[in-house]
Amino acid sequence: MIKKLSLLVLFCLLISFPVLSAPSAIHDDAGLFSQEETAALSEEIQRLQEQTQMDYAIVTTRDAKGKTARSYADDFYEAQGYGVGEEHSGMLYLIDLDNQEIYISTEGQMLHHLTDDRIESLLDDAFTHAAEEHYADSAYSVLQGVGDYLAQDAPKNHFPLALLIGSIAGLIASLSTFFAVKSRYSLTHETYHYPLHEKSTLHLTVSEDRLIHQTLTHRKIPKDPPSSPSSSHNHTTTHHSSSGRTHGGGGRRLS
């Protein structure tokens, strides 16, 4: 009787508290993807999440609720609880058919990886597919491009083979030179006599330099103008969402 009562109490506790789960990575509210395409995108997102420890989301909509594509993407990212860690690191790719725009929103550590130049490059490929209404290919190209960039930024843990070979060759050359010099200057013969008198003669010559005149020329060297942040390959433009969080990103009009 007590065992049955315990099981009943446990069952009541389980149904009383909702089970927390990770937010869905794909929200195809515009109905642009087939089941097969959704499955392929989900598989790619899961792979990237495991490799990079950051979040990825794909969102489509036909109703931006009066918001711009940027505001919709940023607010959706935050409302769904996307992002890993305290910095909410991750990215969201939005296909907004209401505003006729595609948009990439980034936050946290992803800001350091997806610079302005890289986002523009991702949008170039994504736009090509989206303009032809190949929306799944557009989303997939963004995911693959982000994965490639993060792979480039990953630290290399292996010791370069060329550096190892160079170090060994340098060590051999140094040892060879050392032993050759040592063998040459070693005084191993008892009959060797250093000619002190011949080698100790010193001849001094007096030389004087006189300054006749001097000419000073002054020339102002112009300074290079400071580089514009927007022209830097490593620059990331940021903005604040409606909640005040910092996001990066960029978009491209479809029409």
Side-chain angles (χ1 to χ4, degrees):
M1 181 65 181
I2 297 177
K3 183 177 181 180
K4 292 181 179 180
L5 182 61
S6 299
L7 291 175
L8 180 61
V9 172
L10 179 60
F11 177 75
C12 292
L13 290 174
L14 289 176
I15 64 176
S16 299
F17 297 96
V19 178
L20 298 178
S21 59
S24 175
I26 298 178
H27 284 265
D28 184 21
D29 298 334
L32 304 181
F33 307 145
S34 67
Q35 292 184 353
E36 292 78 10
E37 291 171 337
T38 300
L41 291 171
S42 298
E43 183 178 349
E44 181 67 10
I45 287 175
Q46 183 177 0
R47 183 185 69 83
L48 289 174
Q49 288 173 334
E50 293 174 353
Q51 287 185 354
T52 65
Q53 300 301 306
M54 283 190 276
D55 233 343
Y56 302 84
I58 304 295
V59 179
T60 72
T61 186
R62 297 182 185 273
D63 181 11
K65 305 183 185 306
K67 301 179 180 180
T68 64
R70 187 178 83 174
S71 296
Y72 189 89
D74 293 345
D75 292 346
F76 198 99
Y77 187 93
E78 296 177 10
Q80 292 296 318
Y82 292 124
V84 175
E86 296 180 355
E87 296 181 286
H88 311 288
S89 300
M91 59 83 61
L92 180 148
Y93 176 57
L94 170 67
I95 302 177
D96 181 359
L97 297 185
D98 186 4
N99 292 302
Q100 286 295 302
E101 186 174 353
I102 55 177
Y103 192 86
I104 296 175
S105 176
T106 60
E107 191 174 1
Q109 290 298 314
M110 193 65 79
L111 295 172
H112 305 297
H113 298 285
L114 294 191
T115 61
D116 292 347
D117 286 347
R118 287 181 170 184
I119 287 179
E120 286 301 313
S121 180
L122 293 173
L123 290 173
D124 286 341
D125 295 335
F127 173 83
T128 301
H129 297 295
E132 298 176 354
E133 298 186 358
H134 299 157
Y135 299 113
D137 292 337
S138 176
Y140 200 81
S141 71
V142 171
L143 294 176
Q144 285 193 319
V146 174
D148 291 341
Y149 284 134
L150 266 67
Q152 293 178 22
D153 296 342
K156 305 298 186 295
N157 295 323
H158 61 276
F159 191 79
L161 180 60
L163 182 58
L164 177 61
I165 295 176
S167 300
I168 295 176
L171 179 61
I172 294 175
S174 299
L175 292 176
S176 300
T177 303
F178 169 76
F179 286 114
V181 173
K182 183 176 183 299
S183 175
R184 181 179 179 182
Y185 288 95
S186 294
L187 305 179
T188 57
H189 304 288
E190 296 181 358
T191 58
Y192 177 80
H193 177 71
Y194 184 78
L196 180 61
H197 180 73
E198 298 177 4
K199 300 293 185 180
S200 60
T201 302
L202 179 63
H203 298 281
L204 298 178
T205 301
V206 178
S207 176
E208 295 183 359
D209 293 328
R210 295 182 179 181
L211 178 62
I212 305 301
H213 65 274
Q214 64 179 357
T215 302
L216 297 179
T217 302
H218 298 275
R219 184 171 65 90
K220 184 177 181 180
I221 301 177
K223 296 182 178 179
D224 295 332
S227 59
S228 174
S230 60
S231 65
S232 173
H233 294 293
N234 297 322
H235 180 70
T236 300
T237 303
T238 60
H239 59 272
H240 295 293
S241 66
S242 58
S243 68
R245 280 165 50 175
T246 302
H247 289 261
R252 185 75 56 83
R253 294 283 301 177
L254 294 175
S255 63

